[in-house]
Amino acid sequence: MIKRVIVIVLDACGIGDAPDSAAFGDAGSNTIVHTASAVGGLECPNMERLGLGHLDDIPGIAAIPNPVGSYATMREQSAGKDSTSGHWELMGLVLDTAFPVFPDGFGPHILDRFKAETGRGVLGNCPASGTEIIQEYGDRHCTTGDLIVYTSADSVFQIAAHEEIVPVDELYRYCLIARKILQGDDAVGRVIARPFIGTSGKYTRTVRRRDFSLSPPRPTVLNSLMDTGVETVGIGKIDDLFAGNGLSVKIHTESNIDGMNRTIAALAEYPSGLIFTNLVETDMLWGHRNDPRGFATALEQFDKQLGELLPALASTDALFISADHGCDPTTPSTDHSRELVPLLAYGPALQAGTNLGRRGCFADLAATISEIFGIRAPEAGTSFWPDIRG
């Protein structure tokens, strides 16, 4: 009997064309394979043992005989390619309509109200790279106190401010004001606080980023688990992505390494329930910056820590490793890519070496978790639990 499920989301680690990739402008994207190719191969022996090499021809990752895990790719059904819709679908909630995007910036009906309620002006108001826009507007921000507001191809309203000009708690308050304003037709998936430090020409973002997502419009598996008394532990930006819904424990992290350390520590503290971890650096630091070397290093570091986590699993544990979308660092775009995502499943008592095929929905993971815990099935998804149950 499985008593605990651990889900780790490697943010932005897509693995090739989804059937509708071209409709999103992402035909040919393959985050993991192209990253591996760009650096001459990945060294990830633990994910290799779980079966990663069976999902595609990944330089450095072999399709070893008799992997100890089971493996699949999953297709997203929701209408977007962002972290919020990806994570929601992993927990059983499929969105038919994509979150709105603002390729020309935000209109005066949004910004006039935002400026009035914050008492500060606005700089930027355009799609931009987060690292570049703070260099472009950082000096003016430090002089005037005006907030740097920007977006991307994703559904985000991002606010950057220097920590010595705008205290971080005040920046978070401004994000809550924006979150209140951005509803209805303007309901972006996330409002993101982007604090930075430094001096002219040398501004750098800090680890105190926070995401302020919409609340899920309908219950997810997280809610169903809590309703039946099952502990749900969110590590990393899980709390932000679900606006706190369905989580009994919320643990914020400073890095992927910290996220994995806290996940391993949670195994000792929470002997049952769901541990749900997001590792964001592959997306935030490397995918959006088109840095395959950094992306590869982050994957290899995760794999090393995975080598610490696997021996700590109990015989009643089930581990699932997946992703929420792609962000191919080798393409001209710096935005998310519509891709299939990998799924690796492992537990000391689970069936090994099962090819779970091409799953039709991220929510297949939610349906599987629901069956493991014997709770109400989510609104979408087909459980693969009968295929891996030991």
Side-chain angles (χ1 to χ4, degrees), residues 161-181:
H162 197 291
E163 292 189 359
E164 295 178 7
I165 304 299
V166 178
V168 173
D169 286 343
E170 187 174 353
L171 176 59
Y172 294 163
R173 184 173 68 83
Y174 294 156
C175 288
L176 289 171
I177 290 171
R179 180 72 280 169
K180 180 182 66 175
I181 294 169

Side-chain angles (χ1 to χ4, degrees), residues 3 7 19 59 69 77 82 87 175 185 192 208 215 300 347 382:
K3 296 181 179 179
V7 175
Q77 291 296 328
D82 57 277
H87 280 76
C175 288
D185 292 342
I192 305 177
R208 297 204 275 182
S215 291
E300 291 174 348
T382 301

Side-chain angles (χ1 to χ4, degrees), residues 256-382:
N256 280 10
I257 291 174
D258 183 37
M260 282 299 289
N261 285 340
R262 289 175 179 265
T263 302
I264 294 167
L267 296 178
E269 189 167 354
Y270 304 100
S272 63
L274 174 68
I275 298 171
F276 189 11
T277 298
N278 170 275
L279 302 177
V280 72
E281 288 183 345
T282 36
D283 176 272
M284 181 179 70
L285 295 185
W286 315 119
H288 286 298
R289 296 182 187 178
N290 283 355
D291 185 341
R293 172 55 64 186
F295 205 116
T297 299
L299 282 175
E300 291 174 348
Q301 175 60 46
F302 162 72
D303 193 79
K304 288 179 182 178
Q305 290 185 281
L306 179 61
E308 300 172 27
L309 183 145
L310 292 174
L313 294 177
S315 61
T316 52
D317 283 340
L319 168 69
F320 301 104
I321 300 170
S322 192
D324 52 347
H325 52 72
C327 194
D328 191 331
T330 70
T331 65
S333 170
T334 60
D335 295 312
H336 294 164
S337 44
R338 179 79 164 188
E339 296 183 43
L340 303 172
V341 300
L343 175 74
L344 301 176
Y346 171 75
L350 299 189
Q351 181 73 33
T354 302
N355 182 353
L356 297 169
R358 170 81 56 88
R359 311 302 303 185
C361 186
F362 288 6
D364 286 9
L365 177 59
T368 301
I369 293 170
S370 297
E371 187 170 2
I372 288 172
F373 285 106
I375 62 172
R376 179 179 68 251
E379 65 181 44
T382 301

Side-chain angles (χ1 to χ4, degrees), residues 88-101:
W88 287 2
E89 187 167 321
L90 288 168
M91 291 296 110
L93 175 57
V94 175
L95 295 179
D96 296 328
T97 304
F99 295 118
V101 294

Side-chain angles (χ1 to χ4, degrees), residues 87-154:
H87 280 76
W88 287 2
E89 187 167 321
L90 288 168
M91 291 296 110
L93 175 57
V94 175
L95 295 179
D96 296 328
T97 304
F99 295 118
V101 294
F102 295 84
D104 301 315
F106 301 97
H109 69 291
I110 296 172
L111 291 188
D112 287 351
R113 184 178 169 190
F114 179 70
K115 289 186 284 188
E117 294 195 27
T118 61
R120 291 183 183 266
V122 164
L123 301 169
N125 188 31
C126 57
S129 158
T131 53
E132 292 174 4
I133 201 167
I134 60 175
Q135 306 305 333
E136 181 177 357
Y137 290 102
D139 290 353
R140 287 173 59 187
H141 161 72
C142 290
T143 299
T144 65
D146 294 345
L147 301 168
I148 302 171
V149 171
Y150 63 105
T151 187
S152 73
D154 299 318

